[in-house]
Amino acid sequence: MRLNSTEQILAAARALEQGALVGFPTETVYGLGADAENINAVANIYQAKGRPSNHPVIVHVAPEADISYWVQEIPAPAQALIDAFWPGPLTLILKRAEHIPDAVSGGQDSIGIRCPSHPVAQALLRAFKDGKGGVAAPSANKFGHVSPTKAEHVIEEFPAEIANGMIAAVLDGGQSDVGIESTIVDMSRLATHGPVLLRPGHITALQLEQVLGMAVNAPDQAAPRASGTLEAHYAPSTPVAMVAVEDLESTVNQLLIVGKRVAVMAYQPHSANAQLQGWRQLNPDPISYAHDLYADLRELDHVGADIILVEALPVGREWQGVADRLRRAAFDSQGVLERLLIN
């Protein structure tokens, strides 16, 4: 059931304290939360999602939380990012305090931590353990699927877990404002690697660099594992392929000729639109694009198409977060197209 009153948020906080899971909104996407210090509860997140046990989750804390409880130290550059962007869509990777179970970090000595800005998330975090706890929460979807940006997406993903009580509640905070997952920055190896951008998001590399006064580096082979960084991820059940604007119409026509059912996400309609299974108009603004992306993919996943074609993105650092998600959703673009055109 979907909840958001003060009493229902308090009930959800008590459910978390008792070891249950709770779906809740953040400004990025909806999360599937558990008490970050309850190993069994965290294990239930992995079970519900079908998530590999070595894939870390992010700990969400209230604005007033004592971050030093969770980490060994907060370097000055990390504190600068906290001051600039929290509460907000930024996750920091820091060295995990020894008393914090490694279940939240996939066995690593680091921890991902953030403070969300969504009012329902903040109310839940303040009610949970009187604001002194942390809620481990990856996105509230089956592992590798499109992340949820509405409460109904969460309910759609986990009917069995809601029915059997593993998920005690799904709090409803409306559609997520940002629409893609938080930016993740590794600040755990500053002395040797500097700040490392593990996952781009709403907060851009340029914004980070302006605060830090130094370059933000690309991931290296020794970087900590982080949420949402596998090559294939964020994908609907329907295959997705990215297509350059100059090739889009001809690709649609080729697929229609061989009898394939096609859905398209593009900036402008094309001549074959009347023959499509579904079509969504893309927003040329990267912030609005991100806000709509997952909801659009989910809608087109239900129209009975054989493939979802997405018109290629503009070039620019401001598009980095959206480009990252679409690259993973359309990981095998060329292979998908070749197989559909042959068969």
Side-chain angles (χ1 to χ4, degrees), residues 48 202 343:
H202 181 76
N343 297 325

Side-chain angles (χ1 to χ4, degrees), residues 8 55 69 88 116 145 164 182 209 223 237 254 267 271 276 278 291 305 308:
Q8 291 162 338
H55 205 58
Y69 176 79
H145 291 190
N164 67 24
S182 61
E209 290 169 352
S237 299
Q254 290 176 56
Y267 300 101
S271 60
L276 299 177
H291 175 269
I308 301 170

Side-chain angles (χ1 to χ4, degrees), residues 20 206 218 243 276 282:
L206 178 59
V243 182
L276 299 177
L282 298 174

Side-chain angles (χ1 to χ4, degrees), residues 88-113:
L90 176 67
T91 295
L92 297 180
I93 306 295
L94 296 165
K95 289 297 183 183
R96 175 173 49 83
E98 291 185 4
H99 65 274
I100 302 300
D102 65 4
V104 297
S105 58
Q108 301 176 112
D109 65 355
S110 56
I111 187 172
I113 191 163

Side-chain angles (χ1 to χ4, degrees), residues 1-4 8 151-152 155 169-172:
M1 51 182 172
R2 292 181 286 180
L3 317 166
N4 62 15
Q8 291 162 338
E152 50 262 43
I155 294 168
V170 177
L171 298 176
D172 189 347

Side-chain angles (χ1 to χ4, degrees), residues 231-243:
E231 283 302 305
H233 213 71
Y234 310 118
S237 299
T238 307
V240 177
M242 295 282 289
V243 182

